[in-house]
Amino acid sequence: MTSDSFAHLTLAFGLLGNAVSFMVFLSPLPTFYKVYKKKSTEGFQSVPYVVGLFSAMLWIYYALLKANAMLLITINSVGCFIQTFYICFFLFYAPKKARIESLKLITMMIVVGFGLIVVLTQFFATGVTRVTIVGWICLVFALCVFIAPLGVLRQVIKTKSVEYMPILLSAALTLNAITWFFYGLLLRDFNIAIPNVLGITFGVLQMILYFVYKNKKPIISDEKVSELKSIETVLEQPKISGKKDQEIIDVVKLSAALVCSIPTVAKINENNEVVDDHMAEKAAAHVPNHTIEVGA
């Protein structure tokens, strides 16, 4: 293969990675549309979006230290803008407690965490050493992000249900990992390539589990069984005559319906989304958050 062909192939994978990553960044939009309609974040969490912003900023810093990673800068710049929009949107509709917790997380990760990385590497490292240190930080952080889907895989096996693991999102994330793996491999940049090996592995496992369990009967947890029994007990209580009694029964039925219909998003992903990141307090003990897939 000639050097020109090699460069064209690298560019092709980089552009494809940009396109797929852009679609993944937009995947939480339905979640935020629900927030807009309800004018409340309810059980949503800002963690996936803050982590996504931190990851994008980290990869931009790494790409700026290198001379041939412009496509990393382009997609992660878009990622920074989109994640910032999500965070601002969340803060606008979040209740006071959730807003304060989000601001604390933003301060810790973006201001303190990223700020220390930049300051320490600028003042205590030079040249190739600086690039190597930042590259290792990106590598370790990306590995941690890619390990997150293990919780989703465990939940699928435990419940025999793929309710919280959409096949289209899993396929998109797998394709995203494949494109960035080959982009990093062609650049001979293993800080980009190695984390995406895990991304490919977990993505393939998710799709395999989806086809294994998609027609299986889900296992209902003990907590949900107890909850359903308690609802049945309330509904079976003697009725008091009058219109008011019927209203009470209607309220109980409505509450039961809401318990079963509150949407949750897996964190790989965010069902991150990102899958992106909405779960009810009752479901939080059974369903892990969605992982945010980084652009590299």
Side-chain angles (χ1 to χ4, degrees):
M1 182 182 293
T2 64
S3 58
D4 287 341
S5 299
F6 191 83
H8 290 156
L9 191 59
T10 304
L11 178 63
F13 276 107
L15 292 174
L16 180 60
N18 272 246
V20 178
S21 295
F22 179 71
M23 299 305 296
V24 172
F25 280 136
L26 294 180
S27 61
L29 282 178
T31 295
F32 283 93
Y33 180 72
K34 293 177 183 178
V35 171
Y36 171 75
K37 295 289 286 185
K38 295 182 178 180
K39 309 299 181 185
S40 172
T41 58
E42 296 183 333
F44 285 93
Q45 295 183 357
S46 62
V47 176
Y49 313 110
V50 177
V51 171
L53 177 59
F54 176 80
S55 176
M57 293 172 65
L58 199 58
W59 282 109
I60 289 175
Y61 181 50
Y62 174 70
L64 288 173
L65 297 176
K66 294 177 64 67
N68 58 345
M70 181 56 66
L71 291 175
L72 276 181
I73 297 176
T74 56
I75 187 57
N76 284 291
S77 296
V78 173
C80 281
F81 175 80
I82 294 175
Q83 301 295 355
T84 301
F85 170 78
Y86 290 155
I87 292 170
C88 293
F89 197 94
F90 178 90
L91 292 175
F92 183 79
Y93 286 106
K96 183 177 180 181
K97 183 178 179 181
R99 188 181 297 119
I100 292 174
E101 291 177 351
S102 298
L103 290 174
K104 288 180 180 178
L105 182 63
I106 292 169
T107 303
M108 288 176 57
M109 290 197 70
I110 307 301
V111 180
V112 178
F114 183 74
L116 282 176
I117 291 173
V118 173
V119 171
L120 292 177
T121 53
Q122 286 293 325
F123 284 97
F124 297 100
T126 58
V128 177
T129 304
R130 181 185 298 154
V131 176
T132 303
I133 293 173
V134 177
W136 273 101
I137 294 173
C138 291
L139 174 62
V140 172
F141 184 77
L143 288 174
C144 293
V145 171
F146 279 120
I147 288 174
L150 285 175
V152 179
L153 300 181
R154 178 178 177 274
Q155 186 68 19
V156 170
I157 296 172
K158 181 179 178 180
T159 63
K160 299 185 184 301
S161 171
V162 294
E163 180 181 0
Y164 306 108
M165 192 177 69
I167 185 61
L168 291 179
L169 183 59
S170 297
L173 293 174
T174 304
L175 177 60
N176 189 54
I178 291 172
T179 55
W180 286 112
F181 166 75
F182 281 108
Y183 178 75
L185 193 64
L186 292 169
L187 280 180
R188 297 179 183 176
D189 189 330
F190 296 103
N191 294 319
I192 300 174
I194 291 176
N196 285 288
V197 173
L198 277 182
I200 295 170
T201 303
F202 292 141
V204 171
L205 285 176
Q206 286 184 49
M207 288 190 290
I208 292 174
L209 286 178
Y210 179 87
F211 288 107
V212 169
Y213 290 110
K214 70 174 182 176
N215 295 322
K216 296 283 185 179
K217 185 177 181 180
I219 297 176
I220 301 177
S221 64
D222 294 338
E223 183 178 343
K224 287 187 177 180
V225 171
S226 301
E227 187 177 298
L228 291 174
K229 286 183 178 179
S230 64
I231 293 173
E232 289 176 358
T233 301
V234 173
L235 294 176
E236 290 173 357
Q237 288 179 353
K239 297 182 179 179
I240 306 173
S241 61
K243 182 178 179 181
K244 186 174 181 180
D245 307 321
Q246 185 60 42
E247 291 177 354
I248 294 174
I249 294 174
D250 290 339
V251 169
V252 173
K253 290 181 178 180
L254 178 60
S255 300
L258 288 174
V259 168
C260 300
S261 64
I262 293 176
T264 57
V265 180
K267 188 179 185 182
I268 325 188
N269 92 234
E270 209 82 56
N271 206 13
N272 169 281
E273 12 148 327
V274 149
V275 197
D276 285 335
D277 341 79
H278 171 48
M279 58 175 60
E281 292 181 3
K282 288 282 186 181
H286 306 286
V287 184
N289 290 330
H290 86 52
T291 23
I292 295 300
E293 191 76 25
V294 296

